[in-house]
Amino acid sequence: NQNKKLTLINKNDIIPIIPSPYQISKNDGNVTLGENLMIHHQSGLKNEASLLAEHLSNLMGKKPMLMESEVSGPNIIFLKTGKVEVNGVSKEAYTLEIHPDKGVIITGSDPAGVFYGTQSLIALVPVELFSSVNSSIELEALKISDAPAFGYRGMHFDVGRNFQTKETVMKFLDVMAYYKLYKFHFHITEDEGWRLEIEELPELTQIGAFRGHTLDDSEYLAPAYGSGAFPDPDISYGSGFYTRQDFIEILQYSAERHIEVIPEVNMPGHARAAIKAMEYRYRKLMEQGKKEEAEKYLLSDPDDQSEYSSAQLYDDNIVCVCKDAPYIFYETVVDDIIEIYEEAGLTLRTLHTGGDEVPLGSWEKSPICKDLLEKNPEISNFRNLQAYFFGRVTEILEERNLTIAGWEEIAMTFFEDGTWEANPEFAGK
């Protein structure tokens, strides 16, 4: 009965932009973008102008001419920066004016604001025009003033469990940009897959990036999420990884669209792919008689008889946090990721540490961990070894001037009675 009362909203009452701009005012008349359309831009906005030109070339079959100048007028889109403040916000703010005499003028408080203005302009194009090549585009005359309502606007993308190609990731980034999202939490390590090439540790992708039928995970990981019996990226979404060059291209593609990539290196839980890869490395080097080198990155404790079951029913996916190898491993991986960012001409600012779903029972029958607790009674119980781990990881990341992200558990303290509370050691961090 309620559904019968529903009526369609008048098309003219719908704002065609998501998220809704802070302020939009419609004016009389229309503006036509037609043949010989030009994009003029101030110095420093060539990237934003070029991306807009690519969009328009798909719509019009011809790329608009770009020119660094401060000219506006009919059949011209002019991109510039200036003082813009909307609802008390000046960062990433913009105004978009579509005027019969002035043409299209986008003014941003910074290049990101200009970019978001171009995304709003694209959103104003009638959707039916995207299915064909058009000689011209007609837009309503209006003015939009907008700025972000939220300081963190992000998406989380898990390629550990189901791998996605570089091209799919880039498509995803385009959609993020369209909706003015700018934090890309890139979930590249998991129990079921390690997806980034690390130069120092090729086994991470050699073993940890492939899933197929196996009885012992000695050559690749077991199937998961219906990924099938064959470790072939062409037929299975369980297998695949990004080369350094792939990742550099993803980073640069993101940066052009004002998106920050926050990679996730998940430990001490959700680490089965890394654990199995490093066990393979251990066996290989032990066969060569290289004991010290073999143990350097071994993430597990061979003598650990602990019994646990993770949220995904694994009993072998928790790193032994009581030995030095995981911290050497972590430093090696993080330093390599930092180098990849530098090769891309960017700076890694934030690293997501994962840290969730460490099951009860972890470490309780590890001789190494029992010894650590005896020597450090302030840790108080096995459950708080997770906080101990993140204390050490925090030092590693702070030395590299990185902001630390993670799932909720990383900042919690666990008590014997089963209760939790926020760990005061992490306050302000």
Side-chain angles (χ1 to χ4, degrees):
N1 286 335
Q2 289 180 347
N3 288 345
K4 288 176 182 177
K5 299 173 186 175
L6 297 177
T7 57
L8 289 174
I9 298 172
N10 188 301
K11 182 179 178 181
N12 294 326
D13 293 334
I14 298 173
I15 296 174
I17 299 173
I18 299 173
S20 298
Y22 179 75
Q23 191 172 52
I24 182 168
S25 56
K26 296 185 178 182
N27 299 318
D28 295 332
N30 294 315
V31 173
T32 301
L33 305 179
E35 195 174 351
N36 301 321
L37 173 66
M38 298 184 71
I39 299 176
H40 290 220
H41 63 88
Q42 282 183 341
S43 174
L45 296 176
K46 185 176 180 180
N47 172 64
E48 290 68 32
S50 298
L51 291 174
L52 177 59
E54 284 180 26
H55 274 290
L56 292 172
S57 69
N58 292 331
L59 283 163
M60 305 179 76
K62 180 181 177 182
K63 187 173 284 190
M65 184 183 295
L66 300 182
M67 184 177 294
E68 186 178 312
S69 77
E70 302 207 7
V71 175
S72 60
N75 214 29
I76 292 175
I77 300 172
F78 178 36
L79 309 182
K80 64 175 182 172
T81 56
K83 187 176 181 181
V84 181
E85 186 175 299
V86 180
N87 193 31
V89 177
S90 56
K91 185 181 179 183
E92 301 169 346
Y94 71 90
T95 60
L96 164 62
E97 187 173 8
I98 302 175
H99 192 279
D101 299 323
K102 300 177 185 177
V104 178
I105 301 175
I106 297 174
T107 308
S109 59
D110 45 37
V114 172
F115 178 72
Y116 296 139
T118 65
Q119 297 304 295
S120 289
L121 176 63
I122 293 162
L124 292 170
V125 175
V127 69
E128 57 269 17
L129 299 188
F130 284 86
S131 62
S132 61
V133 175
N134 309 274
S135 58
S136 64
I137 299 171
E138 192 169 279
L139 302 171
E140 281 187 280
L142 52 73
K143 184 174 182 179
I144 291 173
S145 299
D146 198 17
F150 299 98
Y152 187 104
R153 308 181 305 282
M155 285 293 288
H156 166 244
F157 200 49
D158 180 355
V159 295
R161 295 184 171 98
N162 297 304
F163 184 69
Q164 303 293 343
T165 64
K166 176 183 69 177
E167 292 74 20
T168 300
V169 173
M170 289 174 170
K171 215 172 197 179
F172 188 82
L173 291 164
D174 282 334
V175 176
M176 282 184 62
Y178 180 76
Y179 290 111
K180 304 181 179 75
L181 304 173
Y182 81 115
K183 299 282 190 180
F184 180 44
H185 173 183
F186 203 10
H187 195 126
I188 54 175
T189 79
E190 234 333 311
D191 287 323
E192 298 85 5
W194 182 286
R195 305 305 187 185
L196 177 60
E197 178 186 21
I198 301 296
E199 277 189 347
E200 179 78 11
L201 300 168
E203 297 85 1
L204 283 171
T205 45
Q206 182 184 346
I207 303 299
F210 293 89
R211 296 205 301 257
H213 176 63
T214 174
L215 297 177
D216 57 10
D217 299 286
S218 60
E219 296 181 10
Y220 37 77
L221 306 178
Y225 301 100
S227 60
F230 304 102
D232 182 352
D234 291 334
I235 60 172
S236 168
Y237 48 80
S239 298
F241 66 93
Y242 307 109
T243 65
R244 292 173 71 89
Q245 186 56 38
D246 287 337
F247 204 71
I248 286 169
E249 290 175 23
I250 289 170
L251 292 176
Q252 292 173 336
Y253 196 86
S254 302
E256 289 171 355
R257 288 152 183 78
H258 298 275
I259 294 171
E260 177 189 357
V261 179
I262 302 171
E264 178 177 348
V265 179
N266 205 337
M267 293 176 80
H270 290 276
R272 192 172 189 270
I275 289 169
K276 294 302 176 184
M278 292 302 96
E279 287 177 353
Y280 170 86
R281 179 183 182 277
Y282 172 81
R283 292 191 299 271
K284 180 179 67 174
L285 292 172
M286 286 296 286
E287 289 172 3
Q288 299 170 17
K290 300 177 180 178
K291 186 174 185 294
E292 185 177 345
E293 193 178 340
E295 292 178 342
K296 182 178 179 180
Y297 294 114
L298 184 63
L299 300 176
S300 52
D301 172 9
D303 297 322
D304 187 359
Q305 300 298 313
S306 299
E307 298 176 7
Y308 60 81
S309 181
S310 75
Q312 288 75 30
L313 305 181
Y314 293 115
D315 58 8
D316 57 356
N317 74 330
I318 309 298
V319 165
C320 179
V321 301
C322 306
K323 50 193 283 191
D324 288 333
Y327 306 100
I328 298 170
F329 173 91
Y330 210 88
E331 286 184 314
T332 301
V333 169
V334 171
D335 285 343
D336 204 46
I337 294 174
I338 289 171
E339 284 183 16
I340 294 173
Y341 273 72
E342 289 172 350
E343 285 182 40
L346 301 167
T347 301
L348 175 64
R349 302 189 187 283
T350 303
L351 188 88
H352 198 290
T353 59
D356 64 325
E357 297 184 333
V358 174
L360 288 169
S362 301
W363 308 303
E364 291 184 3
K365 294 181 182 179
S366 163
I368 299 174
C369 290
K370 286 182 180 178
D371 184 56
L372 181 75
L373 283 177
E374 287 174 6
K375 292 177 180 177
N376 299 273
E378 69 277 6
I379 298 174
S380 78
N381 62 60
F382 286 99
R383 191 66 173 168
N384 280 336
L385 286 172
Q386 184 170 357
Y388 164 80
F389 172 78
F390 277 101
R392 291 187 63 174
V393 165
T394 296
E395 291 176 6
I396 291 170
L397 300 182
E398 285 181 342
E399 285 173 6
R400 291 155 176 78
N401 297 314
L402 295 174
T403 297
I404 302 158
W407 301 113
E408 180 184 37
E409 291 98 314
I410 73 165
M412 304 297 281
T413 299
F414 183 77
F415 298 102
E416 294 285 6
D417 63 0
T419 59
W420 297 78
E421 73 174 24
N423 185 347
E425 290 184 21
F426 290 100
K429 298 183 180 181

